[in-house]
Amino acid sequence: MGFTFEWQVMLETFPLLLSGVKLTIIITLGGLFFGFIIGAVTGLMKLSRSRFLRKLAGIYVESIRGTPLIVQVMFLYFGVPMATGLRITPVAAGIIAIAVNSGAYIAEIVRGAVQSVDVGQTEAGRSIGLTRIQTMRYIIWPQAFRRMIPPLGNQFIISLKDTSLLVVIGVAELTRVGQEIIAVNFRAFEVWLTVGIVYLMMTLSIAKVLQMTEERLEKRSAR
Amino acid sequence: MIEIENLHKSFGSLEVIKGIDLHIRPGEVVCIIGPSGSGKSTVLRCINRLEDATSGRIILDGSDLSDPATNINQVRAEATMVFQGFNLFPHMTVLQNVTLGPVKVRRMSKEAADALGIELLQKVGLAEKAGSFPDQLSGGQQQRVAIARALALRPKAILFDEPTSALDPELVGEVLEVMKQLAREGMTMVVVTHEMGFAREVADRVVFIDQGIIQEENTPDELFGNPQNPRLRDFLGKVLSHG
């Protein structure tokens, strides 16, 4: 075998990964920001009275959920520019891919949370003369939003890990940076272990923040 | 005030209301009684257009509810509803529950709405709960807040859909007391209820609905004292022997 584990490599690797961590975070936050907007709009479209809007939202959600993210990424970065002549940077493609992908899952989160609010709340809102939009904005959405927080946190963790797939289009995120380090020092064991630990630190932090948010909300609603 | 003409309502193939005519005059208190599933709540929900009538006409304060040109939101605010399950907004304080309608529907300033809200909460005896949240209140208190919320629109009529049916027995009285006070002040009220004592004491007119039609309507004294319809007699026999 002849393998000796070298602590030193892990310690050296860690600071080199920071630029990748930064890009991973930027792409995740950017992707989820737009993903939430897409998801909120699509989720509400799924609840629309218009059959057309419901169908349209359904096609989007099913196409995204039914295809691998890596195919979506490559289609977006290599396929779309070929057809349209528009070139985008790998980072922009990464953010768009995460947004479009998470949007489909967030749409289902939004739809489920809105539907879980008791129909009596809508009736009470309408009965005092609020319009459909006012009822959604002041009564249903605030209640639904609280229920979205746990599944949204979950999606946050999933999307963060998904950014590692952007390695295929050359985005210098965490996984890519790890690969580049190995190309130089050939210490696959130590470097991938470090990369894994860094991902774990990020996802555990999100989980912790999520747990604290939930506890605060629970305290507020139990009072 | 409220004119219902030949109202029909079906859910799928099930016809729940089979032709109801009912005219409610300003200041009148009308109690609707009848067995479960007889369509009484559906009539109320059609007046507020939480349900769309299958056919027939409902005219509320001169506005035809079936006319597409009618601004349903404004009309709804003229006949607000108190629900069996209270349906308070759990994420808002008691005061916010009451002032939401005045601010968003009536375009009242926040200050004026707050003043109105406090006044109405005083009326239902809950001014000191203005800053509480609904889940900190008992069922009876929640229903009194719901009444204040319904009053806050300054409606021409209030529709009560079994307002005491979800309450513990010892909390029924406080809600009925508030309703009696409203009746004395001349509020137009349509009350679907199982509280025969309340109907007898407060109603100007009692309507007995069964099998989707009005089987009998009369003053409470006549309706309870001298029921004509055999279904009504049967119904009263059942409920009064338990009451």
Side-chain angles (χ1 to χ4, degrees):
Chain A
M1 291 284 285
F3 176 79
T4 32
F5 179 71
E6 289 182 31
W7 271 106
Q8 206 51 38
V9 175
M10 288 185 73
L11 291 176
E12 284 164 13
T13 302
F14 193 77
L16 298 176
L17 292 174
L18 288 179
S19 68
V21 168
K22 198 174 136 199
L23 202 52
T24 290
I25 291 173
I26 289 171
I27 293 172
T28 307
L29 289 179
L32 283 175
F33 175 79
F34 294 111
F36 183 73
I37 295 171
I38 296 172
V41 171
T42 322
L44 293 178
M45 275 166 67
K46 281 203 128 190
L47 298 168
S48 157
R49 280 182 298 182
S50 151
R51 221 181 96 93
F52 173 72
L53 289 181
R54 287 201 307 270
K55 264 270 182 305
L56 201 64
I59 290 170
Y60 161 66
V61 170
E62 293 313 324
S63 330
I64 296 300
R65 291 203 306 186
T67 53
L69 175 58
I70 196 160
V71 173
Q72 295 164 14
V73 168
M74 295 208 277
F75 178 73
L76 185 70
Y77 186 67
F78 299 115
V80 172
M82 185 174 264
T84 62
L86 293 170
R87 287 223 65 88
I88 42 174
T89 67
V91 173
I95 291 175
I96 295 170
I98 296 295
V100 169
N101 183 267
S102 67
Y105 293 91
I106 292 172
E108 287 299 297
I109 293 172
V110 168
R111 185 188 58 78
V114 168
Q115 275 182 326
S116 76
V117 177
D118 181 42
V119 66
Q121 291 291 310
T122 304
E123 293 188 345
R126 302 308 303 277
S127 79
I128 56 172
L130 297 178
T131 63
R132 281 172 62 89
I133 291 170
Q134 285 175 323
T135 304
M136 177 56 74
R137 175 162 165 211
Y138 299 113
I139 295 168
I140 306 305
W141 185 264
Q143 295 183 57
F145 187 72
R146 286 186 184 192
R147 298 178 196 187
M148 287 175 212
I149 290 172
L152 280 179
N154 210 24
Q155 184 60 44
F156 195 163
I157 290 172
I158 292 169
S159 289
L160 184 122
K161 292 187 296 179
D162 280 351
T163 57
S164 71
L165 288 172
L166 300 175
V167 79
V168 298
I169 57 168
V171 177
E173 45 63 61
L174 180 52
T175 302
R176 177 75 177 196
V177 173
Q179 248 182 4
E180 283 163 0
I181 295 169
I182 294 164
V184 176
N185 69 7
F186 302 104
R187 301 301 304 187
F189 186 86
E190 289 86 350
V191 173
W192 284 129
L193 185 63
T194 313
V195 168
I197 288 169
V198 172
Y199 273 114
L200 192 60
M201 277 160 49
M202 289 195 282
T203 52
L204 288 179
S205 312
I206 298 169
K208 184 73 195 165
V209 170
L210 192 65
Q211 188 200 339
M212 277 160 35
T213 316
E214 273 183 69
E215 276 166 12
R216 254 185 53 192
L217 280 178
E218 242 165 65
K219 232 181 261 164
R220 261 175 68 192
S221 66
R223 270 178 301 271
Chain B
M1 168 70 41
I2 302 171
E3 290 160 52
I4 302 172
E5 283 165 15
N6 198 21
L7 177 70
H8 287 259
K9 173 67 189 176
S10 302
F11 294 100
S13 61
L14 180 69
E15 192 174 33
V16 182
I17 298 177
K18 302 168 184 169
I20 280 185
D21 291 271
L22 185 62
H23 290 222
I24 292 151
R25 291 180 291 274
E28 198 179 18
V29 177
V30 174
C31 283
I32 302 177
I33 62 170
S36 310
S38 58
K40 0 181 246 308
S41 290
T42 308
V43 173
L44 219 55
R45 292 166 62 83
C46 286
I47 300 174
N48 200 257
R49 251 204 46 201
L50 291 176
E51 307 287 355
D52 283 318
T54 308
S55 69
R57 289 218 308 171
I58 299 178
I59 296 172
L60 189 75
D61 192 36
S63 307
D64 187 340
L65 289 188
S66 49
D67 183 349
T70 302
N71 181 341
I72 184 63
N73 301 309
Q74 291 300 324
V75 175
R76 270 200 181 111
E78 297 302 339
T80 49
M81 190 129 167
V82 173
F83 298 88
Q84 180 176 354
F86 328 134
N87 297 358
L88 292 182
F89 310 131
H91 58 301
M92 296 182 184
T93 65
V94 163
L95 185 62
Q96 286 168 336
N97 264 274
V98 178
T99 57
L100 184 69
V103 171
K104 298 300 173 196
V105 180
R106 298 294 195 215
R107 306 268 163 220
M108 208 183 260
S109 72
K110 194 183 171 300
E111 294 71 31
D114 282 351
L116 171 67
I118 294 289
E119 179 197 323
L120 292 173
L121 287 173
Q122 263 160 5
K123 191 188 188 83
V124 300
L126 289 169
E128 79 281 8
K129 299 286 186 191
S132 303
F133 283 86
D135 61 5
Q136 295 170 298
L137 306 184
S138 74
Q141 290 172 328
Q142 288 191 47
Q143 193 61 298
R144 282 146 64 197
V145 173
I147 293 173
R149 178 175 70 182
L151 282 170
L153 279 297
R154 298 279 190 222
K156 303 236 165 51
I158 298 190
L159 314 172
F160 293 85
D161 187 7
E162 303 196 27
T164 57
S165 297
L167 294 174
D168 291 337
E170 75 272 22
L171 302 176
V172 169
E174 61 188 73
V175 172
L176 292 183
E177 211 40 62
V178 169
M179 291 169 64
K180 282 178 198 171
Q181 189 195 335
L182 288 181
R184 281 196 297 272
E185 291 170 2
M187 176 57 82
T188 309
M189 297 162 64
V190 186
V191 186
V192 170
T193 188
H194 293 293
E195 295 290 332
M196 297 304 148
F198 175 84
R200 179 173 276 195
E201 186 187 335
V202 181
D204 298 306
R205 192 150 49 111
V206 179
V207 175
F208 173 66
I209 293 182
D210 191 16
Q211 299 195 320
I213 58 167
I214 295 180
Q215 303 278 353
E216 188 162 339
E217 60 175 300
N218 217 325
T219 61
D221 286 348
E222 276 298 309
L223 187 125
F224 289 113
N226 186 20
Q228 301 297 312
N229 183 290
R231 290 186 176 280
L232 174 58
R233 271 188 233 151
D234 182 49
F235 174 72
L236 290 177
K238 281 177 188 155
V239 292
L240 295 180
S241 63
H242 293 293

